[in-house]
Amino acid sequence: MIASALPEGVACAEHFGDTPDEGLFPAERALMKGVGAGRRREFTTVRHCARVALGALGVAPAPLLPDAEGAPRWPAGTVGSMTHCRGYRAAVAARRTDVRALGIDAEPHRPLRAGVLASVALPEERERQAALLLLAPSVHWDRLLFCAKEAAFKAWFPEGVRSGPARPRSLHDIRVTLRPAPPGHRPDRGAFDAEVLPGRPGSARFPGRWLATEDFLLAAVADLVTPSACL
């Protein structure tokens, strides 16, 4: 499913269930000591997906441990992203020679809870919601905006941390412009532009793709070393 939102050169793996705990390395298992069963299953399965994606690049399995900021440390020379929501886990990976930054997010395809949109969306993003709903009423655009922002944040966060002492923390630091599919194309997928607003650490622009199924919304951001015209 996620593969259709990714450019060439990005490996991916996804799972709609969970994998056994024995798939963890000892250091990863130690992190999960005392953690609830549900969280442990998510952690295990999404790392299984990450190792499958890395394996497609020829990278040997290794522990994927969080750094001081909580973001996964990917093997040297690679970049990646992981996501999970109820009923879905996925990971993507690429070589840094091809992709500078990656971010993916999956969300249940249902509206955001009351008040959440106002807490994450900029005024201009909220204003566009009504027009998007008229173009494609089957898509929950409020949740998709949140999904796209999360994907962009995951792509930006490591670069923002490396750029200086300030730490990017808020989805308000990112402006997303969602683009539905053109007339005559499938209404369940499209593209978006994500802009880290000026003055934030690691200010940047990222292209993204999104897709919607009956159950899930998916967003992917890939900052390619050599930009692709089709992204």
Side-chain angles (χ1 to χ4, degrees), residues 41-42 50 104 106 120 132 144 174 194 204 207:
R41 287 194 298 269
E42 291 173 346
I104 61 170
V120 300
L132 290 168
L144 181 57
I174 299 173

Side-chain angles (χ1 to χ4, degrees), residues 19 28 40 73 80 84 87 108-109 114 117-118 153 170 179 183 190 201 219:
T19 57
E28 294 170 329
R40 189 170 64 250
R73 292 194 296 260
H84 56 78
H109 194 181
L117 182 65
F153 189 89
S170 172
R179 301 200 306 273

Side-chain angles (χ1 to χ4, degrees), residues 79 96 100-101 154-164 168 201-202 204 206 223:
V79 63
R96 280 197 173 272
R100 280 182 287 261
K154 290 178 184 180
W156 168 53
F157 184 86
E159 304 307 317
V161 167
R162 278 195 286 269
S163 70
F206 298 117
D223 184 18

Side-chain angles (χ1 to χ4, degrees), residues 21-32 43-44 47 51 60-65:
D21 282 358
E22 56 262 27
L24 292 179
F25 282 82
E28 294 170 329
R29 196 173 295 115
L31 287 176
M32 291 292 100
F43 183 94
T44 301
R47 274 159 176 75
R51 283 189 266 275
L64 295 169
L65 303 174

Side-chain angles (χ1 to χ4, degrees), residues 52-231:
V52 170
L54 287 166
L57 302 176
V59 178
L64 295 169
L65 303 174
D67 62 17
E69 297 294 327
R73 292 194 296 260
W74 294 85
T78 69
V79 63
S81 183
M82 296 184 269
T83 188
H84 56 78
C85 67
R86 185 176 184 135
Y88 185 76
R89 291 84 167 89
V92 295
R95 297 197 176 277
R96 280 197 173 272
T97 51
D98 298 323
V99 180
R100 280 182 287 261
L102 274 175
I104 61 170
D105 191 58
E107 297 288 333
H109 194 181
R110 59 175 182 255
L112 290 172
R113 296 190 306 273
V116 174
L117 182 65
S119 71
V120 300
L122 298 166
E124 60 266 38
E125 292 170 332
R126 295 197 298 271
E127 289 172 4
R128 287 194 290 267
Q129 288 286 303
L132 290 168
L133 191 58
L134 286 175
L135 289 170
S138 63
V139 176
H140 290 297
W141 292 96
D142 57 344
R143 177 80 68 165
L144 181 57
L145 177 66
F146 179 86
C147 186
K149 279 180 170 259
E150 284 281 348
F153 189 89
K154 290 178 184 180
W156 168 53
F157 184 86
E159 304 307 317
V161 167
R162 278 195 286 269
S163 70
R167 295 295 185 260
R169 293 295 183 192
S170 172
L171 295 185
H172 278 123
D173 291 334
I174 299 173
R175 178 166 52 222
V176 165
T177 302
L178 295 167
R179 301 200 306 273
H185 291 72
R186 294 180 59 167
D188 59 352
R189 59 193 61 198
F192 63 91
D193 298 309
E195 178 188 5
V196 180
L197 298 178
R200 274 64 168 187
S203 294
R205 292 176 181 268
F206 298 117
R209 292 173 176 168
W210 64 264
L211 62 93
T213 72
E214 183 177 352
D215 298 316
F216 303 109
L217 292 167
L218 299 170
V221 163
D223 184 18
L224 304 179
V225 172
T226 303
S228 170
C230 64
L231 186 66

